[in-house]
Amino acid sequence: PSTAAALPRLERVSADTKANVSPAESLIRVRDLRVSFPGRGGLASFPHGGKRAKIDVLVDVNLDLRAGETLGLVGESGSGKSTLGRCILGLFPASSGSITFRGRELTKLSEREFRPLRENMAMMFQDPIGSLSPRQNVRSLILEPLDVHRPKGFDRDAAALRLANAVSLPREMLPRYPYQLSGGQARRVGVARAIALAPDLIIADEPTAGLDVSVQGDVLNLMRDLQMAQKLTYLIISHNLPVVRHISSRLAIMYLGRIVEQGDCEAIFRRPAHPYTEALVNGIPRPDPEHRRKLTSIEGEVPSVAFRPRGCEFHARCRYAKECCREEPPHETIVSDGRTVRCHFPLAD
Ligand SMILES: Nc1ncnc2c1ncn2[C@@H]1O[C@H](COP(=O)(O)OP(=O)(O)OP(=O)(O)O)[C@@H](O)[C@H]1O
Ligand code: SF4
Ligand SMILES: [Mg+2]
């Protein structure tokens, strides 16, 4: 039988139904986003027609962020999560596709045009201490966004105390330098910097990585309180599925730079539709020893974005792979509860 005949009939996602979020609801809307880096060397960057080959890190990414929600972005290391966050904030250029903020196209803006918009969007970077300048003390670090965007002057002492208070950093911390901070304190400095300009959107890259469990809880509670007080929208990037489940209303799962599943967080955890999501969810360690024995971890090497497999890029690791999966790349489709899935044979339907 031909490959096409072997595929189940699924609704192909049209431009307006992607992710099932209406344009009016979206704060951020990403469509068909592609991001490429020049090859770094080795075979993947072997010159083609005199040009260095490009490596596609993000491919056909569609994502919707609704005002006031928390969207968890999950995927293995190297899948492109940080690149997507940086691209939304204009810190890395899109190769093609569209990113809109409240309906305004961002990908065509010059740095000068983007700058005022950046007051509405902030990033908490992946490495809380390393991302802070080692020569600035906490006071000057948390005032920096105001110094950049409100050069006409403001009450520096009042602003420093207000921000320190908002993130529960004792005022004695203000003269300290990053190397003198604990992981949790550095995170609070990162949160203070992120909220300094009262943004609408915060992209938090691994906000709990490297923290003790109790400190993780403190940081998440702080972020949740700020979200309610300041009507923030969060895009939370994390490896930690229990953390993501705890805080997210919706979820996007990334594999090799594509979103393979996106939808309501609890629904996805209860009944994953993509085999990759199922493997991730089943891989969460559980306290119950009966369950632990049944763990199905994801086997096989993570392929590199520099050498993308043919067909469905997950096929070599997928326990449900059929013949057609090796040849035919799956489109993004909508399953019955409105989530999008990139698989020929979604599990939850
Ligand atoms: N400046 C760059 N030049 C070339 N390749 C890059 C660059 N930055 C990232 N990459 C590649 O892009 C891919 C995605 O990287 P990214 O940092 O977005 O992944 P990630 O999902 O955030 O991973 P992690 O969970 O480890 O933080 C990786 O293969 C990485 O090697
Ligand atoms: S398309 Fe095939 S190989 Fe890919 S995830 Fe679905 S079942 Fe597995
Ligand atoms: Mg990252």
Side-chain angles (χ1 to χ4, degrees), residues 22-31 33 63-65 87-90 94 97-121 200-201:
S22 77
E25 280 182 291
S26 289
L27 183 72
I28 293 280
R29 198 171 160 84
V30 177
R31 285 296 175 269
L33 180 69
L63 188 84
D64 287 274
L65 214 57
C87 200
I88 291 172
L89 291 190
S98 151
I99 303 173
T100 59
F101 177 76
R102 296 223 165 85
R104 182 165 180 204
E105 181 59 51
L106 300 181
T107 57
K108 309 279 185 302
L109 298 181
S110 66
E111 175 53 31
R112 199 171 58 83
E113 292 166 321
F114 208 115
R115 208 166 168 182
L117 278 169
R118 225 174 254 133
E119 290 195 32
N120 296 314
M121 305 179 225
D200 298 313
L201 168 69

Side-chain angles (χ1 to χ4, degrees), residues 1-3 6-7 311-312 315 320-328 344-345:
S2 80
T3 307
L7 297 179
C312 171
H315 79 249
Y320 305 100
K322 295 189 174 45
E323 200 48 45
C324 66
C325 301
R326 286 178 233 288
E327 300 294 328
E328 198 75 30
H344 294 309
F345 308 102

Side-chain angles (χ1 to χ4, degrees), residues 37-38 40 57 76-83 126 206 239 305:
F37 290 113
R40 274 181 182 157
V57 171
E76 283 163 299
S77 190
S79 57
K81 306 177 299 293
S82 298
T83 304
Q126 193 160 354
E206 302 283 1
H239 277 97
V305 288

Side-chain angles (χ1 to χ4, degrees), residues 119-121 150 162 193-201 230 232:
E119 290 195 32
N120 296 314
M121 305 179 225
R150 312 250 197 281
R162 174 178 63 80
R193 284 164 63 85
I195 61 169
L197 297 164
D200 298 313
L201 168 69
Q230 307 195 8
L232 289 166

Side-chain angles (χ1 to χ4, degrees), residues 3 7 18 32 51 88 120 163 166 175 177 207 228 241 306 310:
T3 307
L7 297 179
K18 275 173 186 164
D32 303 320
K51 278 194 203 157
I88 291 172
N120 296 314
L163 286 169
Y177 287 84
M228 293 201 284
L241 284 180
R310 273 167 72 99

Side-chain angles (χ1 to χ4, degrees), residues 86-97:
R86 297 170 69 88
C87 200
I88 291 172
L89 291 190
L91 302 175
F92 202 87
S95 306
S96 62

Side-chain angles (χ1 to χ4, degrees), residues 136-216:
Q136 281 175 270
N137 65 17
V138 169
R139 182 176 188 273
S140 100
L141 285 166
I142 64 180
L143 291 177
E144 191 177 8
L146 289 158
D147 284 330
V148 171
H149 286 273
R150 312 250 197 281
K152 291 220 176 88
F154 54 93
D155 183 337
R156 300 179 63 79
D157 287 331
L161 280 179
R162 174 178 63 80
L163 286 169
N165 268 336
V167 299
S168 304
L169 259 184
R171 62 163 68 194
E172 302 80 72
M173 293 285 153
L174 292 173
R176 300 221 180 150
Y177 287 84
Y179 73 91
Q180 298 171 307
L181 303 177
S182 69
Q185 289 162 347
R187 262 301 165 215
R188 287 177 194 276
V189 172
V191 177
R193 284 164 63 85
I195 61 169
L197 297 164
D200 298 313
L201 168 69
I202 292 183
I203 300 182
D205 201 345
E206 302 283 1
T208 60
L211 301 178
D212 291 342
V213 173
S214 67
V215 183
Q216 287 184 4

